[in-house]
């Protein structure tokens, strides 16, 4: 299974449309991948809180339609990162996973809204569903950025059958050590593959962390980006999850 994480640079001064066009070109460079992942609220820019409501869209809006078509064009599963979703009078940090035909496999509204130096918790409503869905690669759990600090969410996803964890993110460089730790820990403790996609660049005076990762069920980082825009590509073997869980059955040994 070939995977690609598009570590997109967020540039102040870019419009949403310009950033979407640039991301579209990077997606073309990931052609041939079975699964492609994009970052969190990348089209608007996570820290551009003043643009959230103006650039919010419904689930049947142009963002979803565009990347549905792109998934079909690339014949790939596409975790298109997240966007600000408007539903009635509420706004959500919503990520979308498409299959190879462009059909929506599943959506996830971020459960843990960030409030440290962030207006996300004031502007948006938290989600409730844990976001686990069937794919041709097995059950996949969808999560977003700050969720990484809450291991109970990932445990619930594993209990729902998840074997592959996807993380869309806009994690700052100032807490890079935490990012690296949590990526490995969530994969290791849940004996899952984990694929994360983080932003790079400096936006609204925040230096983004990058270091998007692919981590195996032993907690080993098999591929990683640095601090510049890049596409992290590698190949994984989902069947290894069952093999590792059988050889080292720590999940079966849980008491609490």
């Amino acid at each position: 299974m070939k995977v690609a994480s598009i570590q997109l640079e967020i540039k102040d001064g870019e419009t949403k449309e310009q950033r979407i066009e640039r991301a579209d070109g990077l997606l073309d460079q990931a052609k041939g991948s079975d699964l492609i992942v994009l970052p969190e609220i990348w089209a608007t820019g996570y820290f551009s809180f003043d643009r959230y409501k103006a650039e919010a869209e419904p689930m049947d809006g142009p963002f979803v339609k565009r990347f549905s078509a792109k998934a079909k064009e690339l014949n790939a599963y596409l975790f298109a990162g997240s966007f600000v979703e408007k539903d009635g009078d509420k706004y959500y940090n919503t990520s979308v996973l498409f299959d190879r035909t462009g059909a929506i496999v599943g959506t996830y509204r971020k459960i843990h809204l960030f409030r440290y130096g962030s207006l996300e918790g004031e502007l948006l409503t938290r989600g409730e569903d844990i976001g686990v869905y069937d794919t041709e690669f097995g059950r996949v759990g969808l999560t977003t950025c700050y969720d990484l600090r809450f291991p109970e969410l990932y445990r619930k996803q594993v209990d729902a059958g998840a074997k592959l964890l996807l993380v869309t993110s806009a994690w700052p460089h100032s807490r890079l050590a935490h990012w690296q730790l949590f990526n490995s820990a969530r994969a290791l403790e849940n004996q899952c593959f984990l694929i994360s996609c983080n932003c790079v660049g400096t936006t609204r005076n925040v230096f983004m962390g990058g270091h998007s990762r692919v981590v195996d069920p032993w907690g080993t980082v098999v591929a990683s980006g640095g601090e510049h825009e890049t596409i992290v590509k590698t190949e994984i073997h989902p069947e290894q999850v069952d093999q590792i869980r059988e050889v080292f059955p720590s999940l079966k040994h849980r008491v609490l």
Side-chain angles (χ1 to χ4, degrees):
M1 173 186 175
K2 295 179 180 179
V3 301
S5 179
I6 296 181
Q7 185 169 276
L8 186 69
E9 181 180 0
I10 306 302
K11 304 175 182 177
D12 287 341
E14 254 185 342
T15 66
K16 180 180 178 180
E17 292 71 23
Q18 288 171 330
R19 199 170 288 147
I20 285 174
E21 287 298 327
R22 192 159 56 81
D24 193 275
L26 289 169
L27 283 165
D28 288 336
Q29 295 178 39
K31 189 173 184 179
S33 301
D34 297 299
L35 170 66
I36 307 171
V37 185
L38 282 163
E40 178 185 18
I41 310 190
W42 57 270
T44 293
Y46 175 83
F47 286 95
S48 297
F49 303 115
D50 55 315
R51 293 167 54 176
Y52 271 28
K53 291 187 177 181
E55 296 187 3
E57 301 182 18
M59 186 54 65
D60 60 354
F63 181 91
V64 170
K65 289 179 179 177
R66 171 135 188 183
F67 292 102
S68 167
K70 196 66 181 181
K72 184 176 182 180
E73 176 189 332
L74 296 173
N75 187 33
Y77 275 75
L78 174 59
F79 187 42
S82 66
F83 70 104
V84 181
E85 178 200 0
K86 179 176 171 56
D87 184 5
D89 61 352
K90 293 183 178 180
Y91 299 83
Y92 300 89
N93 184 341
T94 302
S95 55
V96 189
L97 176 64
F98 302 98
D99 69 13
R100 297 181 190 273
T101 70
I104 295 176
V105 174
T107 62
Y108 170 72
R109 288 171 168 171
K110 188 177 182 182
I111 289 176
H112 302 100
L113 300 180
F114 196 49
R115 291 173 170 83
Y116 180 80
S118 169
L119 297 180
E120 182 184 26
E122 297 178 24
L123 297 171
L124 307 183
T125 299
R126 75 172 187 87
E128 297 180 356
D129 187 80
I130 63 170
V132 179
Y133 301 98
D134 289 315
T135 73
E136 66 183 67
F137 318 114
R139 297 274 281 172
V140 173
L142 310 181
T143 60
T144 306
C145 200
Y146 192 41
D147 286 332
L148 278 171
R149 293 185 179 272
F150 301 91
E152 60 273 19
L153 170 58
Y154 295 86
R155 275 291 198 245
K156 285 184 177 293
Q157 291 188 332
V158 167
D159 286 342
K163 296 181 180 180
L164 174 61
L165 306 173
L166 303 182
V167 185
T168 182
S169 192
W171 196 286
H173 192 277
S174 58
R175 293 179 290 279
L176 178 60
H178 299 180
W179 165 261
Q180 294 169 323
L181 171 65
F182 292 139
N183 269 253
S184 292
R186 297 295 89 89
L188 174 61
E189 68 195 3
N190 295 298
Q191 298 186 299
C192 290
F193 279 100
L194 181 146
I195 303 169
S196 65
C197 188
N198 197 22
C199 303
V200 292
T202 299
T203 173
R204 302 300 177 99
N205 297 314
V206 178
F207 180 32
M208 304 307 300
H211 292 84
S212 302
R213 328 215 98 175
V214 180
V215 188
D216 74 12
W218 291 116
T220 302
V221 179
V222 296
S224 177
E227 295 175 4
H228 302 283
E229 184 170 276
T230 189
I231 304 176
V232 179
K233 296 181 180 180
T234 193
E235 190 167 343
I236 65 173
H237 303 279
E239 66 275 9
Q240 289 181 341
V241 172
D242 287 335
Q243 295 168 1
I244 290 169
R245 290 178 178 180
E246 185 64 28
V247 169
F248 195 87
S250 59
L251 289 174
K252 294 180 181 178
H253 298 160
R254 287 186 292 166
V255 175
L256 300 179

